[in-house]
């Protein structure tokens, strides 16, 4: 889960050409309209110069590409680093397509899926002029094993690569000891996997494959000045104050995924969310780098003013809001009791609790959001206008042997007002079919360690229902669903499969997808997993999350990056 908050050359070339020449009428004239950046490039321009002014209400976990796990950070890191692959810089669902970045193409799979090979683009250089080599990529991946030094990034490589006993380059600086990645020459990177993994091209789009030369690798201090291979280089980073980038003089101008228009990128840190909104509307700020949307006061101003609204976008964030019923806690060990809750739920009231269609999102009926590869539209528990169906709910209660209803508890996070309001709305909806639900509020910081993510706590305290939210590490069905519904992910603490779903057929589908080298087959399997999980009736998705973003009209080449649910940063300029 992203915390706090994922023909090619020809198509991309055409996209940049359209951007340069203007494309459709709106982008050619520079005019904009509400939600325009969701499907096209707004204010297309080749103009160079100026400063891109951004702000963030908090700070990075780290600007070291190998030690970060925020969604905005992964998006932003592509300005100063090139991973093996990346998502196409294009608006709409085209932005979910993987394209080569540091590599010349997507991975070549061999050895039954257990070996994946990438060739590096020739003469890609760091900001100091030195050439990137395969060993630099190997060192970057090796760093992910040093959890004591770089604890923030994900651990997928540690879990997937065949490198028994390896503990990272700081405890053992001999890269030959790292068997998970091999470099037969300076331009070839070979990954050795324990088992086939069909989504591997998505995994190497993470900033953890942005090269780090071993001679310049200073471990935890590397974030003080990570070497750039992107269009911009880090000038300075003052935690809690400011992050400044400028043009990288040795950037490879043949790079198809980036542009180098503005002279400088200035990010002010620890700026209050309200101040960010005010500065955005005043025009002194170009965008909120977090990409999570404006606050309530700014939202009201934007939606009530046609001029402001024309520079705003209401987009999917990639997050799903849902609640679950623990299949191991009575009476939810009976699927008919779970169906009763499915039918009793008034999803419109939960949507309202989260801020309505604009700030909250669209009513959800599947686990996979529309921006995730594998999404299929279906609704197994449809109710009139999504407001619940008392008749169907009571019929399910009778079928589960509880015609007079039952009592249970709803677990949620006390310091999340929207979640609390949603819990109260659910409590009211369930009461209409005589399901009495007591709300139990707990701290968000320990939610998955002591409470919802601890199966024993759920059982001991008779917690039948728990609220949940999720965003993928990469936008495929595996990247979204596996940690939620694969029974083998259930653990005593930190459990994200809160409903304790353990269906051998679903588990087998994940294995089938992981072993497939056919993207279309994997996509179909992800849809099958989603439907199979929903058929168990223990997950109630109610909202595909959205946010209201505002773009300074002076900013050019603006579009929503569906892989991150926020504006793309790699092509931006200023008028």
């Amino acid at each position: 889960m992203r915390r706090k908050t994922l023909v090619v050359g020809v198509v991309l070339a055409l996209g940049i050409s359209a951007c340069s020449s203007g494309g459709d009428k709106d982008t050619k004239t520079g005019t904009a309209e509400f939600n325009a950046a969701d499907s096209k490039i707004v204010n297309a321009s080749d103009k160079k110069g100026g400063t891109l002014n951004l702000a963030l209400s908090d700070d990075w976990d780290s600007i070291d590409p190998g030690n970060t796990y925020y969604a905005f950070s992964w998006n932003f890191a592509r300005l100063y680093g090139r991973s093996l692959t990346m998502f196409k810089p294009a608006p709409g669902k085209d932005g979910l397509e993987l394209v080569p970045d540091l590599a010349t193409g997507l991975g070549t799979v061999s050895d039954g899926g257990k070996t994946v090979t990438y060739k590096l683009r020739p003469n890609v250089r760091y900001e100091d002029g030195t050439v990137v080599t395969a060993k630099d990529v190997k060192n970057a991946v090796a760093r992910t094993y040093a959890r004591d030094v770089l604890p923030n990034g994900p651990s997928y490589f540690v879990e997937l690569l065949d490198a028994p006993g390896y503990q990272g380059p700081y405890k053992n600086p001999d890269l030959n000891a790292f068997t998970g990645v091999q470099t037969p020459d300076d331009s070839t990177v070979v990954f050795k996997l324990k088992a086939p993994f069909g989504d591997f091209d998505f995994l190497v789009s993470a900033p953890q494959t942005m090269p780090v030369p071993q001679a310049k690798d200073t471990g935890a201090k590397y974030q003080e000045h990570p070497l750039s291979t992107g269009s911009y280089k880090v000038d300075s980073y003052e935690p809690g104050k400011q992050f400044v980038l400028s043009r990288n003089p040795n950037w490879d101008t043949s790079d198809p995924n980036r542009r180098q228009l503005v002279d400088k990128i200035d990010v002010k840190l620890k700026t209050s969310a309200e101040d960010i909104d005010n500065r955005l509307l005043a025009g002194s700020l170009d965008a909120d780098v977090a990409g999570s949307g404006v606050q309530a006061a700014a939202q009201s101003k934007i939606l009530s003013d046609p001029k402001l609204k024309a520079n705003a976008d209401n987009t999917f964030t990639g997050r799903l809001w849902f609640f679950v019923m623990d299949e191991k806690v009575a009476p939810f060990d009976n699927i008919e009791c779970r169906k009763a809750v499915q039918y009793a739920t008034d999803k419109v009231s939960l949507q309202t609790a989260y801020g309505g269609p604009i700030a909250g999102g669209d009513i959800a009926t599947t686990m996979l959001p529309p921006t995730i590869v594998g999404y299929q539209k279906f609704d197994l528990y449809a109710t009139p206008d999504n407001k619940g169906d008392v008749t169907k709910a009571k019929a399910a209660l009778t079928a589960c042997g509880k015609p007079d209803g039952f009592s249970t508890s709803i677990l949620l996070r006390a310091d999340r007002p929207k979640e609390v309001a949603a819990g109260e709305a659910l409590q009211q909806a369930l009461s209409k079919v005589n399901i009495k639900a007591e709300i139990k509020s707990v701290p968000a910081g320990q939610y998955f360690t002591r409470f919802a993510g601890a199966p024993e706590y759920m059982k001991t305290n008779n917690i039948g229902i728990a609220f949940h939210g999720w965003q993928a590490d990469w936008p495929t069905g595996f990247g979204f669903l596996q940690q939620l519904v694969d029974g083998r992910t259930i653990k005593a603490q930190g459990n994200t499969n809160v409903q304790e779903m353990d269906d051998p057929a679903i588990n087998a589908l994940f294995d089938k997808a992981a072993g497939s080298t056919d993207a279309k087959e994997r996509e179909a399997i992800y849809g099958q997993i989603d439907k199979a999980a929903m058929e168990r009736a223990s997950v109630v998705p109610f909202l595909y999350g959205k946010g209201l973003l505002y773009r300074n009209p002076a900013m050019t080449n603006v579009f929503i990056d569906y892989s991150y649910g926020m504006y793309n940063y790699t092509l931006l300029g200023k008028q």
Side-chain angles (χ1 to χ4, degrees):
M1 178 173 59
R2 291 277 169 78
R3 296 182 292 188
K4 298 190 181 178
T5 25
L6 351 202
V7 197
V8 168
V10 176
V11 173
L12 185 58
L14 289 173
I16 294 298
S17 174
C19 178
S20 302
S21 62
D24 61 37
K25 181 178 179 180
D26 281 340
T27 55
K28 183 176 181 180
T29 60
T31 58
E33 60 186 4
F34 180 60
N35 221 26
D38 186 65
S39 59
K40 60 186 176 183
I41 297 171
V42 175
N43 295 339
S45 174
D46 285 328
K47 183 180 178 181
K48 293 186 177 182
T51 297
L52 190 65
N53 294 297
L54 307 173
L56 185 64
S57 61
D58 204 303
D59 201 347
W60 265 253
D61 47 357
S62 171
I63 68 167
D64 182 338
N67 193 34
T68 182
Y69 209 175
Y70 292 156
F72 74 84
S73 180
W74 284 28
N75 184 11
F76 195 86
R78 299 183 299 177
L79 284 165
Y80 58 93
R82 297 182 69 173
S83 50
L84 288 173
T85 64
M86 68 177 281
F87 293 98
K88 180 192 290 187
K93 290 191 176 181
D94 287 345
L96 294 175
E97 179 184 344
L98 276 179
V99 296
D101 190 19
L102 185 61
T104 59
L106 301 183
T108 299
V109 179
S110 58
D111 188 26
K114 293 197 292 185
T115 297
V116 187
T117 302
Y118 298 87
K119 286 285 187 180
L120 301 187
R121 295 182 190 270
N123 298 315
V124 175
R125 297 176 183 273
Y126 294 103
E127 63 189 72
D128 62 4
T130 58
V131 177
V132 173
T133 70
K135 286 185 179 178
D136 299 343
V137 177
K138 178 173 182 173
N139 183 63
V141 176
R143 300 171 84 234
T144 68
Y145 284 73
R147 305 300 292 179
D148 55 332
V149 180
L150 308 172
N152 294 332
S155 59
Y156 290 112
F157 288 117
V158 178
E159 297 162 5
L160 295 172
L161 297 183
D162 189 7
Y166 186 66
Q167 297 182 45
Y170 310 121
K171 291 185 177 179
N172 186 352
D174 181 8
L175 281 182
N176 291 321
F178 180 33
T179 59
V181 178
Q182 299 176 7
T183 54
D185 57 56
D186 283 348
S187 63
T188 306
V189 182
V190 182
F191 291 88
K192 294 292 186 178
L193 282 65
K194 299 173 187 175
F197 186 65
D199 271 4
F200 200 76
D201 279 330
F202 285 94
L203 177 55
V204 298
S205 71
Q208 288 175 314
T209 66
M210 292 176 180
V212 179
Q214 191 171 20
K216 300 292 181 68
D217 184 359
T218 52
K221 291 185 177 182
Y222 186 69
Q223 79 154 352
E224 295 175 4
H225 191 97
L227 280 184
S228 173
T229 50
S231 49
Y232 290 85
K233 63 180 178 65
V234 175
D235 281 355
S236 62
Y237 172 56
E238 300 175 78
K241 294 183 180 179
Q242 192 173 27
F243 183 13
V244 180
L245 300 90
S246 65
R247 296 174 184 269
N248 176 4
N250 283 297
W251 170 61
D252 177 10
T253 57
S254 67
D255 178 352
N257 300 319
R258 294 163 185 78
R259 306 183 83 178
Q260 195 183 65
L261 298 179
V262 296
D263 300 319
K264 181 180 175 182
I265 300 172
D266 187 339
V267 187
K268 295 294 193 293
L269 306 174
K270 292 287 185 179
T271 304
S272 75
E274 291 75 14
D275 187 35
I276 289 175
D277 290 348
N278 290 335
R279 291 176 60 195
L280 281 171
L281 299 184
S284 62
L285 201 63
D286 295 308
D288 178 357
V289 74
S292 55
V294 300
Q295 310 307 303
Q299 176 183 317
S300 179
K301 291 179 182 178
I302 291 168
L303 295 179
S304 61
D305 185 331
K307 291 183 179 179
L308 293 176
K309 187 175 179 180
N311 297 306
D313 300 286
N314 187 217
T315 188
F316 289 115
T317 62
R319 180 171 290 276
L320 178 76
W321 296 111
F322 60 103
F323 65 84
V324 303
M325 291 163 275
D326 195 327
E327 296 183 13
K328 301 297 176 63
V329 174
F332 296 123
D333 51 354
N334 185 316
I335 190 172
E336 295 297 334
C337 283
R338 303 198 293 266
K339 287 181 179 179
V341 172
Q342 291 275 2
Y343 287 122
T345 300
D346 178 352
K347 293 186 178 181
V348 173
S349 67
L350 286 120
Q351 179 189 48
T352 301
Y354 271 79
I358 299 293
D362 289 355
I363 297 293
T365 61
T366 62
M367 291 193 70
L368 287 180
T371 54
I372 301 295
V373 174
Y375 166 77
Q376 296 177 4
K377 185 177 181 179
F378 63 87
D379 188 353
L380 300 184
Y381 311 101
T383 66
D385 299 321
N386 295 304
K387 293 183 177 180
D389 190 319
V390 170
T391 301
K392 285 186 177 180
K394 288 184 175 180
L397 283 172
T398 299
C400 82
K402 300 285 185 179
D404 299 323
F406 57 84
S407 297
T408 189
S409 294
I410 298 173
L411 189 71
L412 48 76
R413 287 161 281 203
D415 42 351
R416 298 195 175 189
K418 292 180 180 179
E419 189 165 288
V420 172
E424 292 169 350
L426 176 61
Q427 182 185 47
Q428 184 175 354
L430 296 180
S431 69
K432 294 179 181 179
V433 296
N434 205 31
I435 296 176
K436 299 175 183 177
E438 177 189 1
I439 293 177
K440 293 189 176 182
S441 305
V442 297
Q446 298 175 314
Y447 195 65
F448 288 102
T449 54
R450 289 186 54 192
F451 303 110
E456 188 58 34
Y457 174 87
M458 296 287 286
K459 295 182 184 68
T460 301
N461 292 275
N462 193 36
I463 306 292
I465 297 173
F467 274 76
H468 208 332
W470 195 253
Q471 186 170 358
D473 281 336
W474 61 89
T476 73
F478 194 103
F480 194 93
L481 289 172
Q482 196 260 348
Q483 293 291 312
L484 295 179
V485 301
D486 187 329
R488 295 161 295 188
T489 66
I490 298 171
K491 46 188 176 289
Q493 282 188 316
N495 177 42
T496 51
N497 184 345
V498 176
Q499 71 279 8
E500 297 190 79
M501 185 184 298
D502 190 3
D503 187 323
I506 292 175
N507 301 347
L509 284 170
F510 279 114
D511 292 341
K512 184 178 179 181
S516 173
T517 57
D518 185 330
K520 289 296 183 183
E521 180 184 35
R522 293 198 303 274
E523 182 175 347
I525 293 171
Y526 300 146
Q528 293 170 29
I529 293 172
D530 192 0
K531 186 163 287 187
M534 287 302 299
E535 286 173 347
R536 293 189 67 88
S538 55
V539 178
V540 184
F542 59 85
L543 211 58
Y544 303 127
K546 278 189 170 184
L548 184 67
L549 306 182
Y550 186 83
R551 44 183 151 82
N552 187 334
M555 196 162 57
T556 63
N557 306 323
V558 188
F559 61 89
I560 299 295
D561 189 322
Y562 268 27
S563 59
Y564 294 101
M566 62 188 74
Y567 294 128
N568 175 281
Y569 300 127
T570 64
L571 307 182
L572 292 175
K574 291 288 288 288
Q575 290 183 343

